[in-house]
Amino acid sequence: MCARLNSSIVVHRLACDLGLRGSVDPVRAVLSYCHRVVKVFLSDYPDCPSPAKLLDFLANKLSTRIIEIHSEADLRRTIAEFTSRSERAFATLEQELSDEQSYGITLKLQSRQLWEPAYVSIIDCRGRKRHRSYHTKWHELGHLLILTDQTRFAFRRTHDPAVPKSAEESLVDTIAGEFSFYPRMIVPFARGEISFEKVQEIRDELCPEASFYSSVLNLSKLWPTPCIWLEAKLAVKKNQNSGQRSFSFKQPAQPSLRAVYATPNDAARQLQITIIPHFRVPTESVIHRVFYDDLPYAESEENLSLWASSDGKRLGNCPVRVKAKRINDSVHALVIPH
């Protein structure tokens, strides 16, 4: 992801517009810029205790009002409130949020009172969208953190997996991920061996609106001791069906349990310990057992040498403790090297 963004002309231009020096890593430069801005803001709130409190504080600093839409009545009430003040952009709000992949939008007020924030960030929390509401809020703030064109009137957060994200949207997602689990506030709580129970405790304490999925992913990245987070679900080998679409007589590839995502944290990378995404989950692994026996949770002592690609390439010898938890149609695992 970062390699693609670092080569994007849009990201390089944005970094330049923010007054940043040219760099081969403009994504890191923009993130550092955002950290400096937030640090300056926090001089007014040095005891801010959590990312949840930081979100509300930054919304005020960035001059936006966050409105959550939990029902059709909420949506109608919001539209009526702003269209009655001749804020015409709100007239199409229902259509803007009607798409299942549209999660939020930030609109610039055109006839605001002097005491009002300059923007309104509408967060759609209806139905399944509520699970992404925390990230959507941070996504909208991310746009405002790097706002360079003051004539822009709207920002939208969408999540259509069939459509590639623009470079700016991907960059803003990276910013949202960075600050929704603000390292300075998270790391002091990341002690001992990581577990799903500890992840839940930190989530409850510091960012209760975050989904458990994003909490496991992001907290494992910040954990000071080596850990690999992975998500396993039924999938075909990467690109396995490519080239078969024009041959209707060929049987489609059958899915198997694979590590569709696998992310080592920095401590694991330093030890050069990883799991290759899309590797088939070994039948001997507890991850396989949790998935096929429909267990809520299990753990075991294993070795990464069990993992092998379809051409027989195996991971190196490394004893690990694997903690596997069933979440909907997939298994999340924390792989902890000894």
Side-chain angles (χ1 to χ4, degrees):
M1 173 64 78
C2 280
R4 180 176 67 83
L5 288 181
N6 280 328
S7 63
S8 167
I9 294 175
V10 172
V11 175
H12 280 275
R13 185 183 300 123
L14 175 62
C16 181
D17 290 345
L18 291 171
L20 306 177
R21 296 175 61 182
S23 168
V24 296
D25 192 351
V27 174
R28 179 49 54 188
V30 171
L31 285 174
S32 297
Y33 166 85
C34 292
H35 274 283
R36 291 194 296 272
V37 171
V38 172
K39 184 177 180 180
V40 170
F41 286 156
L42 281 173
S43 63
D44 293 334
Y45 190 8
D47 298 325
C48 184
S50 69
K53 296 292 185 183
L54 178 62
L55 189 150
D56 293 334
F57 175 69
L58 288 183
N60 180 265
K61 283 290 188 179
L62 295 169
S63 193
T64 191
R65 171 188 170 190
I66 294 176
I67 297 179
E68 297 183 11
I69 302 298
H70 292 274
S71 65
E72 299 301 316
D74 288 346
L75 181 58
R76 290 193 297 271
R77 187 162 47 248
T78 300
I79 293 172
E81 175 186 346
F82 289 97
T83 54
S84 67
R85 298 166 43 184
S86 300
E87 294 288 352
R88 297 179 181 177
F90 287 83
T92 60
L93 190 57
E94 184 172 4
Q95 290 87 341
E96 293 278 3
L97 298 179
S98 62
D99 190 328
E100 281 299 310
Q101 308 303 332
S102 182
Y103 290 83
I105 181 170
T106 293
L107 297 168
K108 186 176 183 179
L109 295 179
Q110 300 303 299
S111 56
R112 70 183 180 100
Q113 301 297 320
L114 291 177
W115 49 266
E116 280 187 300
Y119 299 90
V120 175
S121 297
I122 310 296
I123 312 300
D124 195 347
C125 303
R126 295 172 295 173
R128 295 177 62 87
K129 292 182 182 180
R130 70 183 184 278
H131 299 300
R132 297 181 182 270
S133 62
Y134 181 68
H135 182 79
T136 302
K137 290 177 184 178
W138 277 105
H139 183 95
E140 299 305 313
L141 294 188
H143 273 298
L144 296 175
L145 272 171
I146 59 172
L147 179 63
T148 59
D149 184 354
Q150 300 299 324
T151 65
R152 297 175 68 186
F153 298 128
F155 315 99
R156 295 167 180 79
R157 163 160 157 71
T158 59
H159 187 75
D160 188 345
V163 179
K165 288 183 182 178
S166 69
E168 181 177 344
E169 288 300 305
S170 295
L171 177 62
V172 172
D173 264 344
T174 301
I175 295 169
E178 183 88 358
F179 289 94
S180 57
F181 295 88
Y182 194 37
R184 198 177 89 179
M185 297 172 177
I186 295 291
V187 170
F189 290 83
R191 304 187 187 98
E193 184 174 278
I194 189 171
S195 67
F196 289 104
E197 291 78 14
K198 287 185 178 180
V199 168
Q200 184 66 56
E201 290 172 6
I202 294 174
R203 174 193 177 218
D204 291 343
E205 177 74 18
L206 301 180
C207 39
E209 282 189 276
S211 68
F212 187 72
Y213 184 109
S214 64
S215 299
V216 175
L217 168 61
N218 287 284
L219 293 181
S220 65
K221 290 179 182 178
L222 294 172
W223 215 264
T225 53
C227 173
I228 304 167
W229 165 84
L230 68 84
E231 181 184 5
K233 62 194 315 181
L234 291 175
V236 297
K237 182 182 176 183
K238 199 170 185 179
N239 301 325
Q240 194 165 14
N241 279 331
S242 62
Q244 295 185 4
R245 295 172 187 170
S246 59
F247 301 101
S248 58
F249 58 85
K250 287 193 174 182
Q251 292 295 321
Q254 294 301 308
S256 58
L257 188 63
R258 296 180 180 274
V260 291
Y261 301 108
T263 305
N265 64 9
D266 286 342
R269 284 194 185 95
Q270 289 174 10
L271 296 177
Q272 297 184 329
I273 298 172
T274 190
I275 290 175
I276 310 301
H278 282 279
F279 265 31
R280 190 193 298 263
V281 176
T283 56
E284 305 94 325
S285 175
V286 70
I287 300 170
H288 194 279
R289 182 157 56 88
V290 166
F291 185 86
Y292 284 103
D293 292 350
D294 203 21
L295 302 177
Y297 177 83
E299 60 181 79
S300 71
E301 304 295 325
E302 300 179 12
N303 196 298
L304 287 185
S305 62
L306 292 173
W307 291 76
S309 63
S310 57
D311 59 4
K313 179 183 177 182
R314 289 190 174 274
L315 298 181
N317 175 45
C318 180
V320 292
R321 177 175 295 114
V322 181
K323 302 177 179 181
K325 183 179 181 66
R326 181 81 184 222
I327 301 179
N328 299 324
D329 62 345
S330 65
V331 174
H332 286 240
L334 299 170
V335 181
I336 305 162
H338 290 323

